[in-house]
Amino acid sequence: MCGIVACVGQASAKPILMEGLKRLEYRGYDSAGIAVLNGQGMQLARAVGRVRVLEQSIDGDDRFEGTLGIAHTRWATHGGVTEINAHPHNDGGNHGIVLVHNGIIENHTALKTWLGQQGHEFASETDTEALVHLISELYEGDLAAAVRAALRQVEGAYAIAVMCKAEPGVLVAARRGSPLMIGVGPEGYLVASDAQALVTHARQVAAIDNDVVARITGDGFVTADLDNAPVTAKLQELDITLEQIELGAHEYYMAKEIEEQPVSVARCLRGRMDAKNGRVVLGGVAEHARTLVRAKRVVFLGQGTALHAGMIGARLIEDLAKIPCTAEFASEFRYRNPIIEDGTVVIPVSQSGETADTLAAVQEAQQRGALALGLVNVVGSTIARTTDAGVYLRVGPEIGVASTKAFLGQVTAAVLLSCYLGRSRVMSEEQAAELLRALETIPTLLEGVCADGDHARAVAQRFISRDNWLFLGRGYNYPVALEGALKLKEISYIHAEGMPAAEMKHGPIALIDEGMPVVVVATRNSQYRKVLSNIEEVRSRGGHVIGVITEGDDEAASLCEAVFTVPDVPAPLQPLLTIVPLQLLAYHAALLRGHDVDKPRNLAKSVTVE
């Protein structure tokens, strides 16, 4: 949530900052702001709305020329969406300190009370303003020292970039909980909350660790903890390319990322399985193989789409490896005094690797003795570095707020891990080989399913006037129903609920009226007949059934108002195909309703605060 980009060096800051904000806009787009320090003083501009509004407001303004600057795109937490609440925030002119901030300062009320007693006046409703005034109160000529002193008094999560009029060549950055990194390029140094803001200007990056403060100039940077003890920041090559994060011929990132799913799944699988011999190779967990094989209980942790992938993963591990397994909301897990027995493995699932609730839940489980194994996409992210081992998704950067290819990557990784554990415990070589041979075909099968956009648009056109939808599924396809409903809610703003098909009769069936769209995942599997009965129950009450069915299934097709077909694959692999029509349906419903599918209201890509 929210995006930070800052720079210091030889190049003009303004174009670098504006380009970075555009690449970070998917992280927050309520408002944006920029500050540049130059010989004319501190220049600051803020605007409500998308980054282009800010860009237009300073276009051609020579006052924003300079080589040191900070910028921010906001997703509101404290205070409404107003220009005065937008970042950067300043200290009211006391020392000419300005700051941008991601996260939440939990003790901001107490800080503001104390600072008010010292004579500070606040202009905004934000928690961030308390921090910039606190730094100003503690400033004695050394900005990095003032930041360290202030952060020792702060409770909560933060990623910040700070500069001061009295130190015109110095940029200070720090983090706790919220991601932040330093980029090193030929024209100087950058700071950003996401590598995508660095891709055209940096060749190497270094993650800033928790409770570490970096002092950066055009000549280099030094890092230290809050007590000023030196900390070594490890530089590594930037692992994304400009081509990966550009739209190309697509109008929206979501369309691009749905289309990329066959290649993304193939990349996730590459080098990780030997289908002929029923063998899975996961180098990221090899060191803990013995512990994993002996696991007595597995718990998937996630939020939103990641939780839905974890629910599929839990069923996979119970089916294939015969280990008791559950999937739980990370946000609830850490607060309920969870029971962690000997032999418990927790598996956090996160696209960004920065999800605050999931990270906190993992840390709680580790403190109680659990082995933590991460399924994340972003290399070097906080969850990836916190967990004991893991499996990277390798699906490439995902920019659309509504996750698509990352979900398929999470499910694919869960299939691989489950087969890995199953083969070590209960699966025969032939059983594993049969499943892996089917898994090998998924990328090719996905090509046809992902190309069904015109049909999805036609189906969406028939039903988008209705404001309440149900999504039903059983077994492996129950989490698919949840995910399909979430996609529709996220980007089209249509109210939708997903549930197990059998649960419909226990209350929700009262919602069904004449013409209500009910999406049913009814592929051929062990519960096929039960699902057909559920379809009949919907039809008898006037509901219109949109079916996701197996190719060639005329019986199921005859019961539906509209159908999407997917190839026949083993039940554990069906979610990799059945979710795609629901992604396409949500995408076209949103477009037909006139919404920006990449930037849905009130949502941000990475939720880095509780």
Side-chain angles (χ1 to χ4, degrees):
M1 299 193 306
C2 304
I4 288 173
V5 60
C7 63
V8 59
Q10 295 77 49
S12 175
K14 178 181 167 184
I16 294 174
L17 297 178
M18 294 311 302
E19 177 188 332
L21 285 185
K22 291 174 184 177
R23 298 202 188 282
L24 294 178
E25 194 169 18
Y26 74 107
R27 297 179 63 93
Y29 34 87
D30 294 339
S31 56
I34 184 174
V36 175
L37 183 57
N38 56 31
Q40 302 177 55
M42 188 76 72
Q43 312 301 326
L44 189 150
R46 299 178 291 198
V48 171
R50 302 290 170 83
V51 169
R52 63 177 177 269
V53 179
L54 174 68
E55 184 177 38
Q56 291 166 359
S57 73
I58 62 172
D59 186 37
D61 191 336
D62 293 338
R63 294 176 302 165
F64 285 86
E65 292 301 322
T67 59
L68 171 64
I70 61 178
H72 189 268
T73 180
R74 183 176 185 240
W75 187 84
T77 54
H78 288 70
V81 181
T82 64
E83 184 176 317
I84 200 67
N85 287 335
H87 299 217
H89 287 283
N90 63 66
D91 67 346
N94 294 335
H95 295 292
I97 296 173
V98 296
L99 174 148
V100 291
H101 165 231
N102 293 349
I104 292 177
I105 306 302
E106 294 177 357
N107 60 334
H108 67 97
T109 301
L111 291 174
K112 279 187 173 181
T113 299
W114 180 77
L115 288 164
Q117 294 169 352
Q118 312 310 309
H120 291 261
E121 297 181 1
F122 300 95
S124 77
E125 304 168 273
T126 67
D127 56 328
T128 301
E129 200 177 5
L131 179 54
V132 69
H133 279 267
L134 179 60
I135 293 170
S136 179
E137 176 68 23
L138 300 173
Y139 183 73
E140 296 179 347
D142 184 336
L143 182 60
V147 169
R148 286 193 296 270
L151 295 181
R152 287 196 292 268
Q153 300 183 37
V154 164
E155 298 173 9
Y158 55 77
I160 60 171
V162 195
M163 57 187 190
C164 175
K165 186 176 180 180
E167 300 180 48
V170 176
L171 174 66
V172 175
R175 67 156 291 205
R176 177 193 295 158
S178 196
L180 201 64
M181 62 191 70
I182 300 170
V184 181
E187 298 176 310
Y189 296 82
L190 298 92
V191 169
S193 51
D194 192 309
Q196 293 181 38
L198 307 176
V199 67
T200 57
H201 300 284
R203 296 170 181 169
Q204 293 180 304
V205 294
I208 300 176
D209 287 331
N210 278 334
D211 295 319
V212 167
V213 176
R215 183 181 187 275
I216 310 161
T217 68
D219 298 320
F221 67 90
V222 293
T223 51
D225 66 18
L226 298 187
D227 295 320
N228 203 25
V231 174
T232 301
K234 183 180 179 182
L235 282 170
Q236 61 184 33
E237 295 299 314
L238 193 59
D239 66 345
I240 62 173
T241 66
L242 189 60
E243 182 183 10
Q244 288 178 307
I245 63 173
E246 289 190 326
L247 272 171
H250 298 86
E251 185 178 3
Y252 292 100
Y253 281 105
M254 186 175 179
K256 177 176 184 278
E257 288 157 6
I258 290 173
E259 185 180 297
E260 288 174 343
Q261 289 180 131
V263 173
S264 298
V265 171
R267 190 184 301 121
C268 184
L269 294 174
R270 190 172 299 131
R272 287 174 163 170
M273 65 179 190
D274 175 4
K276 181 179 179 181
N277 296 303
R279 184 166 171 262
V280 174
V281 179
L282 297 176
V285 303
E287 183 181 345
H288 299 278
R290 182 170 296 182
T291 303
L292 287 170
V293 170
R294 294 176 177 175
K296 298 177 181 177
R297 177 176 171 239
V298 177
V299 181
F300 281 86
L301 299 169
Q303 297 290 136
T305 289
L307 178 62
H308 300 156
M311 293 171 69
I312 296 169
R315 188 175 182 96
L316 284 163
I317 283 182
E318 289 201 339
D319 276 0
L320 304 182
K322 307 303 179 188
I323 304 172
C325 191
T326 57
E328 305 197 28
F329 286 101
S331 57
E332 293 295 322
F333 180 84
R334 65 178 295 217
Y335 288 114
R336 69 156 210 271
N337 194 20
I339 298 171
I340 301 295
E341 303 157 317
D342 185 44
T344 298
V345 175
V346 295
I347 303 180
V349 185
S350 170
Q351 188 283 134
S352 67
E354 304 292 349
T355 311
D357 288 311
T358 306
L359 176 61
V362 171
Q363 292 170 333
E364 177 70 21
Q366 286 177 309
Q367 287 178 1
R368 294 170 182 247
L371 177 72
L373 172 65
L375 299 186
V376 300
N377 193 39
V378 179
V379 176
S381 57
T382 304
I383 292 176
R385 288 183 283 121
T386 300
T387 48
D388 301 293
V391 180
Y392 281 120
L393 307 184
R394 301 180 182 168
V395 300
E398 186 178 71
I399 297 172
V401 168
S403 180
T404 52
K405 66 178 183 178
F407 176 76
L408 261 69
Q410 290 160 355
V411 175
T412 301
V415 172
L416 289 170
L417 179 61
S418 301
C419 193
Y420 176 86
L421 292 174
R423 183 69 186 93
S424 301
R425 292 169 61 95
V426 295
M427 292 179 77
S428 69
E429 180 180 314
E430 181 52 37
Q431 287 174 319
E434 182 179 1
L435 183 65
L436 294 177
R437 283 194 296 267
L439 183 58
E440 257 185 338
T441 69
I442 292 294
T444 300
L445 298 178
L446 275 169
E447 290 176 5
V449 183
C450 290
D452 208 15
D454 289 343
H455 177 56
R457 180 180 176 85
V459 174
Q461 181 74 66
R462 291 176 58 184
F463 298 104
I464 57 166
S465 62
R466 300 300 298 245
D467 291 324
N468 294 286
W469 295 43
L470 286 181
F471 286 70
L472 306 177
R474 284 178 179 256
Y476 283 107
N477 285 313
Y478 156 49
V480 172
L482 293 176
E483 178 63 10
L486 177 61
K487 285 289 143 311
L488 194 66
K489 283 184 280 194
E490 285 179 315
I491 60 175
S492 75
Y493 318 144
I494 293 171
H495 175 254
E497 295 298 330
M499 64 191 67
E503 181 65 16
M504 175 186 64
K505 296 190 293 294
H506 298 274
I509 198 168
L511 298 171
I512 297 176
D513 58 7
E514 186 68 35
M516 181 182 192
V518 180
V519 181
V520 184
V521 186
T523 45
R524 288 195 178 276
N525 53 42
S526 62
Q527 299 185 66
Y528 171 71
R529 288 289 161 195
K530 299 290 187 184
V531 176
L532 293 191
S533 295
N534 298 136
I535 290 176
E536 292 282 18
E537 291 161 356
V538 171
R539 284 163 48 87
S540 68
R541 287 155 180 83
H544 287 177
V545 177
I546 303 168
V548 180
I549 67 175
T550 305
E551 287 178 349
D553 186 352
D554 294 335
E555 182 180 4
S558 69
L559 300 177
C560 302
E561 295 284 331
V563 296
F564 295 93
T565 62
V566 297
D568 191 13
V569 296
L573 306 184
Q574 287 181 1
L576 293 168
L577 302 178
T578 54
I579 187 56
V580 177
L582 307 188
Q583 295 170 346
L584 291 167
L585 184 65
Y587 174 80
H588 287 287
L591 289 183
L592 288 165
R593 284 192 163 213
H595 303 313
D596 184 339
V597 296
D598 285 341
K599 300 180 180 67
R601 69 187 182 202
N602 303 332
L603 298 180
K605 182 62 176 174
S606 178
V607 183
T608 57
V609 297
E610 288 192 66

